[in-house]
Amino acid sequence: MTSNQDKKGKLVIISGPSGVGKSTVCSRIVETLDAFLSVSATTRPQAASEVDGVNYCFLTRDDFEKRIRQDDFLEYAKVFGNYYGTPRQPVEAALNEGRIVILEIDVQGALQVKKQRPDATMIFLLPPRTDILQKRMDTRGRGEDQESKKDRLQTAGSEIAAAWQHYDHMVVNDDLEQAVQEVVAIIEGKIEEPL
Ligand code: 5GP
């Protein structure tokens, strides 16, 4: 007999510096594998191009802190001065249904998840060159100010260094199709974890 508990989904963490193209890669993975993409909560301001409940659930700081106290998050972290967190319940429900679950989160959050769920697959997206990050941030139309972009570029270096140490797979996002194919192959178990 198959109960919900017998079904076991697959938890996949995708991280990478700002401007590397995480959201594009993640939405392609969702289409290709019919995966469940977790919608994070955040206290950062909503950009004009973003939809509440789709890109993020935008919360006030008070609401976010209340949800921390209620233990509503699988993980949360302060990133660039704002809170970001993964709501626990939808992730657990999707895993219990046997689905592939994608978390698009930063390195701090990824390490918290890995502690709780050592079977999670950790994938880090790298830019082909670092100057591309600045260019992609300039053209993505989020309306970020120069200070925020500078902060994000500075953080990119330390995130990449930490990722080499902790992540199972590093994938270069130069050609989008190739990067998507590589991530799909990793999730499907066709690419082994490097030693
Ligand atoms: P952005 O403001 O560019 O959308 O996201 C900033 C950073 O926060 C990115 O590295 C993104 O992956 C990360 N992030 C988004 N959602 C979450 C989350 O739920 N938890 C954590 N720890 N990081 C997140």
mmCIF file of all heavy atoms in Angstrom, residues 14 16 18 22 40-41 44 50 56 75-77 79-80 84-86 104-106 108-110 140 142 144 152 159, ligand 1:
data_model
loop_
_atom_site.group_PDB
_atom_site.id
_atom_site.type_symbol
_atom_site.label_atom_id
_atom_site.label_comp_id
_atom_site.label_asym_id
_atom_site.label_seq_id
_atom_site.Cartn_x
_atom_site.Cartn_y
_atom_site.Cartn_z
ATOM 1 N N ILE A 14 18.883 25.856 -5.386
ATOM 2 C CA ILE A 14 19.622 26.544 -6.447
ATOM 3 C C ILE A 14 20.003 27.930 -5.941
ATOM 4 O O ILE A 14 19.147 28.716 -5.526
ATOM 5 C CB ILE A 14 18.794 26.622 -7.751
ATOM 6 C CG1 ILE A 14 18.475 25.197 -8.227
ATOM 7 C CG2 ILE A 14 19.554 27.418 -8.828
ATOM 8 C CD1 ILE A 14 17.814 25.077 -9.572
ATOM 9 N N GLY A 16 23.098 31.322 -6.315
ATOM 10 C CA GLY A 16 24.034 31.968 -7.232
ATOM 11 C C GLY A 16 24.001 33.460 -6.987
ATOM 12 O O GLY A 16 23.047 33.969 -6.392
ATOM 13 N N SER A 18 23.655 37.577 -7.486
ATOM 14 C CA SER A 18 22.679 38.429 -8.174
ATOM 15 C C SER A 18 23.128 38.652 -9.608
ATOM 16 O O SER A 18 24.302 38.962 -9.849
ATOM 17 C CB SER A 18 22.598 39.796 -7.492
ATOM 18 O OG SER A 18 22.053 39.666 -6.223
ATOM 19 N N LYS A 22 19.385 33.182 -11.992
ATOM 20 C CA LYS A 22 18.734 32.106 -11.212
ATOM 21 C C LYS A 22 17.257 31.951 -11.550
ATOM 22 O O LYS A 22 16.781 30.848 -11.756
ATOM 23 C CB LYS A 22 18.811 32.397 -9.698
ATOM 24 C CG LYS A 22 20.163 32.298 -9.092
ATOM 25 C CD LYS A 22 20.078 32.461 -7.585
ATOM 26 C CE LYS A 22 19.641 33.832 -7.113
ATOM 27 N NZ LYS A 22 20.619 34.900 -7.230
ATOM 28 N N SER A 40 9.275 32.369 -1.775
ATOM 29 C CA SER A 40 9.840 32.861 -0.516
ATOM 30 C C SER A 40 9.059 34.056 0.006
ATOM 31 O O SER A 40 8.394 34.758 -0.760
ATOM 32 C CB SER A 40 11.288 33.309 -0.737
ATOM 33 O OG SER A 40 12.073 32.220 -1.124
ATOM 34 N N ALA A 41 9.193 34.278 1.310
ATOM 35 C CA ALA A 41 8.695 35.517 1.912
ATOM 36 C C ALA A 41 9.880 36.463 2.053
ATOM 37 O O ALA A 41 11.015 36.014 2.234
ATOM 38 C CB ALA A 41 8.105 35.216 3.287
ATOM 39 N N ARG A 44 11.975 42.729 1.724
ATOM 40 C CA ARG A 44 12.520 43.749 0.818
ATOM 41 C C ARG A 44 11.389 44.378 0.004
ATOM 42 O O ARG A 44 10.354 43.750 -0.206
ATOM 43 C CB ARG A 44 13.624 43.166 -0.063
ATOM 44 C CG ARG A 44 13.197 42.571 -1.377
ATOM 45 C CD ARG A 44 14.239 42.847 -2.470
ATOM 46 N NE ARG A 44 14.197 41.894 -3.562
ATOM 47 C CZ ARG A 44 13.247 41.847 -4.498
ATOM 48 N NH1 ARG A 44 12.190 42.645 -4.425
ATOM 49 N NH2 ARG A 44 13.335 40.963 -5.475
ATOM 50 N N GLU A 50 7.392 43.009 -10.162
ATOM 51 C CA GLU A 50 7.118 41.795 -9.377
ATOM 52 C C GLU A 50 5.658 41.723 -8.902
ATOM 53 O O GLU A 50 5.030 42.745 -8.657
ATOM 54 C CB GLU A 50 8.042 41.748 -8.161
ATOM 55 C CG GLU A 50 9.492 41.533 -8.562
ATOM 56 C CD GLU A 50 10.449 41.555 -7.382
ATOM 57 O OE1 GLU A 50 10.277 42.396 -6.477
ATOM 58 O OE2 GLU A 50 11.372 40.746 -7.380
ATOM 59 N N TYR A 56 7.465 36.739 -4.839
ATOM 60 C CA TYR A 56 7.703 36.637 -3.391
ATOM 61 C C TYR A 56 6.385 36.906 -2.689
ATOM 62 O O TYR A 56 5.468 37.483 -3.279
ATOM 63 C CB TYR A 56 8.669 37.743 -2.914
ATOM 64 C CG TYR A 56 10.128 37.500 -3.190
ATOM 65 C CD1 TYR A 56 10.778 38.199 -4.210
ATOM 66 C CD2 TYR A 56 10.878 36.609 -2.429
ATOM 67 C CE1 TYR A 56 12.141 37.999 -4.466
ATOM 68 C CE2 TYR A 56 12.227 36.409 -2.673
ATOM 69 C CZ TYR A 56 12.855 37.102 -3.689
ATOM 70 O OH TYR A 56 14.194 36.893 -3.934
ATOM 71 N N GLU A 75 13.846 27.726 6.636
ATOM 72 C CA GLU A 75 15.082 28.476 6.853
ATOM 73 C C GLU A 75 14.763 29.939 6.628
ATOM 74 O O GLU A 75 13.802 30.264 5.927
ATOM 75 C CB GLU A 75 16.197 28.036 5.896
ATOM 76 C CG GLU A 75 15.919 28.227 4.407
ATOM 77 C CD GLU A 75 15.934 29.655 3.898
ATOM 78 O OE1 GLU A 75 16.745 30.451 4.383
ATOM 79 O OE2 GLU A 75 15.117 29.985 3.019
ATOM 80 N N TYR A 76 15.558 30.822 7.200
ATOM 81 C CA TYR A 76 15.461 32.240 6.853
ATOM 82 C C TYR A 76 16.820 32.873 7.076
ATOM 83 O O TYR A 76 17.659 32.335 7.810
ATOM 84 C CB TYR A 76 14.361 32.957 7.670
ATOM 85 C CG TYR A 76 14.699 33.129 9.126
ATOM 86 C CD1 TYR A 76 15.339 34.286 9.580
ATOM 87 C CD2 TYR A 76 14.417 32.122 10.041
ATOM 88 C CE1 TYR A 76 15.674 34.427 10.918
ATOM 89 C CE2 TYR A 76 14.758 32.266 11.377
ATOM 90 C CZ TYR A 76 15.380 33.418 11.804
ATOM 91 O OH TYR A 76 15.730 33.550 13.118
ATOM 92 N N ALA A 77 17.049 34.000 6.415
ATOM 93 C CA ALA A 77 18.334 34.686 6.567
ATOM 94 C C ALA A 77 18.137 36.165 6.279
ATOM 95 O O ALA A 77 17.157 36.552 5.641
ATOM 96 C CB ALA A 77 19.351 34.102 5.591
ATOM 97 N N VAL A 79 19.531 38.965 4.089
ATOM 98 C CA VAL A 79 20.334 39.113 2.874
ATOM 99 C C VAL A 79 20.214 40.571 2.436
ATOM 100 O O VAL A 79 19.098 41.069 2.279
ATOM 101 C CB VAL A 79 19.815 38.192 1.742
ATOM 102 C CG1 VAL A 79 20.798 38.159 0.580
ATOM 103 C CG2 VAL A 79 19.527 36.768 2.231
ATOM 104 N N PHE A 80 21.326 41.229 2.237
ATOM 105 C CA PHE A 80 21.341 42.649 1.842
ATOM 106 C C PHE A 80 20.408 43.490 2.724
ATOM 107 O O PHE A 80 19.646 44.331 2.240
ATOM 108 C CB PHE A 80 20.957 42.824 0.361
ATOM 109 C CG PHE A 80 21.692 41.904 -0.576
ATOM 110 C CD1 PHE A 80 21.012 41.060 -1.439
ATOM 111 C CD2 PHE A 80 23.088 41.871 -0.579
ATOM 112 C CE1 PHE A 80 21.690 40.195 -2.292
ATOM 113 C CE2 PHE A 80 23.773 41.017 -1.426
ATOM 114 C CZ PHE A 80 23.075 40.183 -2.283
ATOM 115 N N TYR A 84 14.696 37.157 4.250
ATOM 116 C CA TYR A 84 14.157 36.269 3.218
ATOM 117 C C TYR A 84 13.957 34.913 3.884
ATOM 118 O O TYR A 84 14.824 34.472 4.647
ATOM 119 C CB TYR A 84 15.152 36.074 2.071
ATOM 120 C CG TYR A 84 15.425 37.286 1.204
ATOM 121 C CD1 TYR A 84 16.278 38.301 1.628
ATOM 122 C CD2 TYR A 84 14.862 37.390 -0.067
ATOM 123 C CE1 TYR A 84 16.553 39.399 0.825
ATOM 124 C CE2 TYR A 84 15.143 38.486 -0.880
ATOM 125 C CZ TYR A 84 15.979 39.482 -0.432
ATOM 126 O OH TYR A 84 16.253 40.558 -1.226
ATOM 127 N N GLY A 85 12.850 34.239 3.597
ATOM 128 C CA GLY A 85 12.641 32.932 4.219
ATOM 129 C C GLY A 85 11.776 32.021 3.373
ATOM 130 O O GLY A 85 10.963 32.468 2.564
ATOM 131 N N THR A 86 11.955 30.713 3.578
ATOM 132 C CA THR A 86 11.196 29.691 2.853
ATOM 133 C C THR A 86 10.064 29.184 3.731
ATOM 134 O O THR A 86 10.322 28.561 4.773
ATOM 135 C CB THR A 86 12.113 28.484 2.528
ATOM 136 O OG1 THR A 86 13.237 28.953 1.790
ATOM 137 C CG2 THR A 86 11.372 27.421 1.745
ATOM 138 N N GLU A 104 15.007 28.529 -4.403
ATOM 139 C CA GLU A 104 15.972 29.491 -4.954
ATOM 140 C C GLU A 104 16.366 30.411 -3.798
ATOM 141 O O GLU A 104 15.665 31.372 -3.494
ATOM 142 C CB GLU A 104 15.297 30.269 -6.092
ATOM 143 C CG GLU A 104 16.228 31.213 -6.817
ATOM 144 C CD GLU A 104 15.478 32.249 -7.649
ATOM 145 O OE1 GLU A 104 14.435 31.929 -8.237
ATOM 146 O OE2 GLU A 104 15.959 33.388 -7.671
ATOM 147 N N ILE A 105 17.445 30.068 -3.106
ATOM 148 C CA ILE A 105 17.781 30.761 -1.862
ATOM 149 C C ILE A 105 19.285 31.042 -1.801
ATOM 150 O O ILE A 105 20.049 30.538 -2.613
ATOM 151 C CB ILE A 105 17.342 29.934 -0.612
ATOM 152 C CG1 ILE A 105 18.054 28.587 -0.569
ATOM 153 C CG2 ILE A 105 15.839 29.734 -0.607
ATOM 154 C CD1 ILE A 105 17.724 27.758 0.682
ATOM 155 N N ASP A 106 19.700 31.845 -0.821
ATOM 156 C CA ASP A 106 21.125 32.201 -0.742
ATOM 157 C C ASP A 106 21.921 31.112 0.007
ATOM 158 O O ASP A 106 21.345 30.135 0.505
ATOM 159 C CB ASP A 106 21.306 33.591 -0.110
ATOM 160 C CG ASP A 106 21.322 33.548 1.394
ATOM 161 O OD1 ASP A 106 20.620 32.701 1.988
ATOM 162 O OD2 ASP A 106 22.060 34.336 2.007
ATOM 163 N N GLN A 108 23.535 31.164 2.912
ATOM 164 C CA GLN A 108 23.243 31.008 4.352
ATOM 165 C C GLN A 108 22.029 30.104 4.563
ATOM 166 O O GLN A 108 22.035 29.200 5.406
ATOM 167 C CB GLN A 108 22.879 32.347 4.997
ATOM 168 C CG GLN A 108 23.838 33.489 4.819
ATOM 169 C CD GLN A 108 23.191 34.773 5.351
ATOM 170 O OE1 GLN A 108 23.041 34.919 6.557
ATOM 171 N NE2 GLN A 108 22.800 35.675 4.472
ATOM 172 N N GLY A 109 20.980 30.356 3.767
ATOM 173 C CA GLY A 109 19.751 29.553 3.875
ATOM 174 C C GLY A 109 20.002 28.119 3.434
ATOM 175 O O GLY A 109 19.498 27.170 4.046
ATOM 176 N N ALA A 110 20.799 27.961 2.375
ATOM 177 C CA ALA A 110 21.084 26.618 1.852
ATOM 178 C C ALA A 110 21.771 25.759 2.920
ATOM 179 O O ALA A 110 21.448 24.582 3.087
ATOM 180 C CB ALA A 110 21.967 26.741 0.611
ATOM 181 N N ARG A 140 18.146 44.338 -15.900
ATOM 182 C CA ARG A 140 16.985 43.521 -15.534
ATOM 183 C C ARG A 140 15.780 44.329 -15.052
ATOM 184 O O ARG A 140 14.745 43.765 -14.748
ATOM 185 C CB ARG A 140 17.355 42.421 -14.543
ATOM 186 C CG ARG A 140 17.740 42.883 -13.169
ATOM 187 C CD ARG A 140 18.157 41.687 -12.339
ATOM 188 N NE ARG A 140 18.563 42.084 -11.010
ATOM 189 C CZ ARG A 140 18.900 41.232 -10.070
ATOM 190 N NH1 ARG A 140 18.901 39.938 -10.306
ATOM 191 N NH2 ARG A 140 19.253 41.652 -8.874
ATOM 192 N N ARG A 142 14.938 46.114 -12.355
ATOM 193 C CA ARG A 142 14.361 46.034 -11.006
ATOM 194 C C ARG A 142 14.371 47.394 -10.309
ATOM 195 O O ARG A 142 13.870 47.528 -9.218
ATOM 196 C CB ARG A 142 15.200 45.080 -10.150
ATOM 197 C CG ARG A 142 15.015 43.644 -10.471
ATOM 198 C CD ARG A 142 14.412 42.956 -9.248
ATOM 199 N NE ARG A 142 14.707 41.557 -9.296
ATOM 200 C CZ ARG A 142 15.526 40.955 -8.437
ATOM 201 N NH1 ARG A 142 16.129 41.626 -7.473
ATOM 202 N NH2 ARG A 142 15.737 39.672 -8.539
ATOM 203 N N GLU A 144 17.039 48.824 -9.013
ATOM 204 C CA GLU A 144 17.935 48.856 -7.845
ATOM 205 C C GLU A 144 18.858 50.071 -7.928
ATOM 206 O O GLU A 144 19.282 50.451 -9.016
ATOM 207 C CB GLU A 144 18.821 47.602 -7.827
ATOM 208 C CG GLU A 144 18.075 46.355 -7.469
ATOM 209 C CD GLU A 144 18.655 45.146 -8.189
ATOM 210 O OE1 GLU A 144 19.150 45.305 -9.311
ATOM 211 O OE2 GLU A 144 18.581 44.060 -7.639
ATOM 212 N N ARG A 152 25.603 43.879 -3.806
ATOM 213 C CA ARG A 152 25.368 42.564 -4.394
ATOM 214 C C ARG A 152 26.619 42.029 -5.083
ATOM 215 O O ARG A 152 26.921 40.840 -4.997
ATOM 216 C CB ARG A 152 24.184 42.646 -5.369
ATOM 217 C CG ARG A 152 22.853 42.715 -4.646
ATOM 218 C CD ARG A 152 21.702 43.149 -5.528
ATOM 219 N NE ARG A 152 20.473 43.248 -4.758
ATOM 220 C CZ ARG A 152 19.530 42.326 -4.693
ATOM 221 N NH1 ARG A 152 19.664 41.219 -5.374
ATOM 222 N NH2 ARG A 152 18.457 42.497 -3.946
ATOM 223 N N GLU A 159 30.158 34.630 -1.723
ATOM 224 C CA GLU A 159 29.203 33.523 -1.944
ATOM 225 C C GLU A 159 29.834 32.443 -2.823
ATOM 226 O O GLU A 159 29.689 31.254 -2.550
ATOM 227 C CB GLU A 159 27.941 34.044 -2.640
ATOM 228 C CG GLU A 159 26.970 34.712 -1.692
ATOM 229 C CD GLU A 159 25.536 34.456 -2.120
ATOM 230 O OE1 GLU A 159 25.202 34.758 -3.274
ATOM 231 O OE2 GLU A 159 24.753 33.949 -1.302
HETATM 232 P P1 5GP B 1 16.609 39.248 -4.656
HETATM 233 O O1 5GP B 1 16.387 40.419 -3.764
HETATM 234 O O2 5GP B 1 17.617 39.515 -5.733
HETATM 235 O O3 5GP B 1 15.328 38.690 -5.217
HETATM 236 O O4 5GP B 1 17.234 38.100 -3.762
HETATM 237 C C1 5GP B 1 18.389 38.341 -3.014
HETATM 238 C C2 5GP B 1 18.988 37.039 -2.528
HETATM 239 O O5 5GP B 1 18.106 36.412 -1.611
HETATM 240 C C3 5GP B 1 19.243 36.013 -3.636
HETATM 241 O O6 5GP B 1 20.527 35.423 -3.392
HETATM 242 C C4 5GP B 1 18.160 34.998 -3.435
HETATM 243 O O7 5GP B 1 18.537 33.695 -3.867
HETATM 244 C C5 5GP B 1 18.017 35.040 -1.926
HETATM 245 N N1 5GP B 1 16.738 34.509 -1.475
HETATM 246 C C6 5GP B 1 15.531 34.573 -2.080
HETATM 247 N N2 5GP B 1 14.612 33.926 -1.358
HETATM 248 C C7 5GP B 1 15.245 33.427 -0.274
HETATM 249 C C8 5GP B 1 14.824 32.650 0.854
HETATM 250 O O8 5GP B 1 13.674 32.256 1.013
HETATM 251 N N3 5GP B 1 15.769 32.367 1.779
HETATM 252 C C9 5GP B 1 17.064 32.750 1.655
HETATM 253 N N4 5GP B 1 17.918 32.381 2.609
HETATM 254 N N5 5GP B 1 17.499 33.471 0.611
HETATM 255 C C10 5GP B 1 16.595 33.813 -0.340
#
